[in-house]
Amino acid sequence: MIRVSILGATGYAGAELARLLSMHKKKVQFMHLVSRSFAGKRLCEVYPGLSESLPVLEALDIDRIAADSDVAFTSLPHGASKEVIPALYAKGLKVIDLSGDFRYDDAAVYAKWYGEEHSAPALLQESVYGLPELHRSAIKAARLVGNPGCYTTCSILALAPLAKHKLIDVYTIIIDAKSGSTGAGREPSQPLHFCEVNESVKAYKVATHRHTSEIEQELSKLYGGEIMLSFTPHLLPVNRGILATSYANLAQKSSAKELVSLYKSFFAGEPFVKIYESGLPELKHVNGSNNIAIGLAVDERLNRVIAVSCIDNLIKGAGGQAIQNMNLMFGMDETEGLPKNAWYL
Ligand SMILES: NC(=O)c1ccc[n+]([C@@H]2O[C@H](COP(=O)([O-])OP(=O)(O)OC[C@H]3O[C@@H](n4cnc5c(N)ncnc54)[C@H](OP(=O)(O)O)[C@@H]3O)[C@@H](O)[C@H]2O)c1
């Protein structure tokens, strides 16, 4: 039995993590669900769709969490995570952080994109980027995992085979990504009001979104040289799901059929990666599941590849991937407790 605690359990990602963990075939025991705003209430009072059996929300007490948990999930805003993780880590816990605080190899890159110095740069050397499809063996040995962002999971996996095999001109990568509004979290803000989002689509943080740096970090490692790319996020009037359309000029002539075959061999055996032989993925093909679906096309006139990828931002983009990492860190079946079927409707 793995004893788990969640910090930030009342956020969208934390609540989805709790929902998924409660279906983990009883190999998981909830210890502490931490909340600043709702301590003393049950999570089902905040999210009435969740089970009454989940523990009562508590204020943060690091000593209690460390004394009786095997793993802590920190589902907090960036900045808040790096304040609590050093203490949890020092007390011997395994930690899976859903924020951006421990996803970087280089503290200078964090400082540049997050606008503040990293307060625990030494721990960045300990943390492993939690994308199982790329870093499975390091995750198994890790005690601190920086769970990837939702846009980044969707974008990195869509381009990984092309970067690894040097099949594209890496100065031509453009990622046009669209997210449902749960991607922005539960904190109310004017641009996320129903009438601001509904019946509209808008680009935001163009050429400045933090996830750009995370995508560049991971694709550069695969490529074996520096990659810089354009990443443009958009907000969709839907609750869940990310669809990324990624473009790059091919370095040599390749057909869509050849690329599909390359992707199938790159991701062979991956339990949550679906490569389409034909057709393209849609949000409803993945929402509710821990899958990423990837479809490919080649524009022969321009010798350009177009990869379309989709994930559920709260599952493969957050709580589901965090559980996949936990399973690996504790030597369990990687797929345990994780949905492989999308809701579709
Ligand atoms: N939403 C997604 O699709 C998604 C995907 C991938 C990664 N992430 C990352 O996961 C983390 C959580 O995201 P979210 O969407 O769940 O955000 P959220 O809905 O805003 O939830 C964050 C929770 O953390 C707690 N919190 C807020 N400020 C805090 C602070 N200063 N100190 C301690 N606790 C604080 C709040 O709960 P209380 O007030 O009850 O304590 C809040 O409910 C973020 O780092 C986000 O970037 C989110």
Side-chain angles (χ1 to χ4, degrees):
M1 190 70 85
I2 297 167
R3 302 166 304 161
V4 308
S5 293
I6 303 175
L7 285 66
T10 59
Y12 284 158
E16 182 68 351
L17 173 62
R19 185 183 76 84
L20 292 166
L21 278 171
S22 63
M23 297 186 284
H24 198 275
K25 291 238 178 96
K26 304 200 192 316
K27 288 179 183 155
V28 161
Q29 183 182 1
F30 287 99
M31 302 310 293
H32 306 284
L33 299 182
V34 177
S35 164
R36 301 166 314 166
S37 316
F38 300 96
K41 290 190 185 297
R42 289 192 169 275
L43 191 54
C44 66
E45 293 178 73
V46 187
Y47 292 96
L50 293 180
S51 165
E52 287 172 16
S53 65
L54 288 164
V56 173
L57 294 158
E58 304 168 20
L60 178 65
D61 181 335
I62 287 185
D63 289 332
R64 280 190 69 205
I65 291 172
D68 58 17
S69 311
D70 299 309
V71 60
F73 293 94
T74 45
S75 189
L76 304 170
H78 75 269
S81 276
K82 69 182 181 334
E83 297 310 316
V84 294
I85 285 174
L88 293 167
Y89 189 81
K91 288 177 186 292
L93 260 72
K94 294 187 179 181
V95 180
I96 300 171
D97 180 36
L98 280 77
S99 85
D101 283 352
F102 289 93
R103 297 178 188 151
Y104 289 91
D105 298 336
D106 183 350
V109 177
Y110 179 90
K112 180 176 166 197
W113 287 86
Y114 283 74
E116 56 183 290
E117 293 300 320
H118 203 289
S119 55
L123 271 189
L124 283 181
Q125 306 311 312
E126 305 289 319
S127 66
V128 170
Y129 193 74
L131 197 49
E133 292 77 7
L134 300 186
H135 300 297
R136 183 168 285 111
S137 56
I139 293 165
K140 284 182 184 172
R143 204 150 70 67
L144 173 56
V145 162
N147 208 59
C150 44
Y151 275 131
T152 49
T153 295
C154 198
S155 307
I156 293 165
L157 294 180
L159 290 163
L162 299 171
K164 176 76 184 169
H165 291 282
K166 299 191 177 357
L167 286 181
I168 47 174
D169 174 351
V170 290
Y171 293 102
T172 64
I173 299 173
I174 296 173
I175 303 167
D176 176 298
K178 300 171 182 70
S179 172
S181 39
T182 51
R186 198 170 194 236
E187 194 68 35
S189 71
Q190 185 264 333
L192 296 174
H193 285 183
F194 176 78
C195 14
E196 302 286 340
V197 176
N198 188 42
E199 306 284 356
S200 189
V201 177
K202 52 189 164 192
Y204 62 101
K205 295 186 182 165
V206 177
T208 59
H209 196 283
R210 288 169 175 141
H211 282 175
T212 312
S213 55
E214 221 180 296
I215 301 166
E216 289 178 349
Q217 170 182 288
E218 292 303 305
L219 290 181
S220 295
K221 281 192 275 190
L222 282 165
Y223 179 64
E226 189 185 24
I227 289 184
M228 284 199 286
L229 49 81
S230 296
F231 171 70
T232 305
H234 300 76
L235 188 62
L236 290 179
V238 299
N239 287 352
R240 285 181 182 241
I242 288 188
L243 184 146
T245 309
S246 303
Y247 305 80
N249 291 354
L250 285 161
Q252 59 195 55
K253 278 220 171 304
S254 304
S255 66
K257 203 173 165 195
E258 286 166 337
L259 294 179
V260 166
S261 159
L262 173 88
Y263 272 61
K264 280 191 172 272
S265 96
F266 186 93
F267 290 116
E270 287 299 340
F272 298 111
V273 181
K274 294 177 87 169
I275 306 300
Y276 283 30
E277 302 239 2
S278 61
L280 296 169
E282 304 174 23
L283 297 187
K284 62 163 59 179
H285 299 184
V286 295
N287 279 353
S289 78
N290 194 53
N291 297 337
I292 175 165
I294 304 172
L296 295 154
V298 170
D299 185 336
E300 288 177 4
R301 294 175 316 130
L302 297 161
N303 199 31
R304 186 172 292 159
V305 56
I306 300 149
V308 177
S309 51
C310 291
I311 61 166
D312 183 323
N313 58 297
L314 292 175
I315 304 185
K316 184 60 176 164
Q321 185 138 267
I323 294 171
Q324 198 177 345
N325 282 319
M326 177 194 77
N327 290 341
L328 287 168
M329 292 163 87
F330 286 89
M332 292 190 291
D333 173 1
E334 183 175 342
T335 65
E336 178 57 56
L338 292 169
K340 282 191 178 175
N341 292 306
W343 296 317
Y344 195 78
L345 296 175

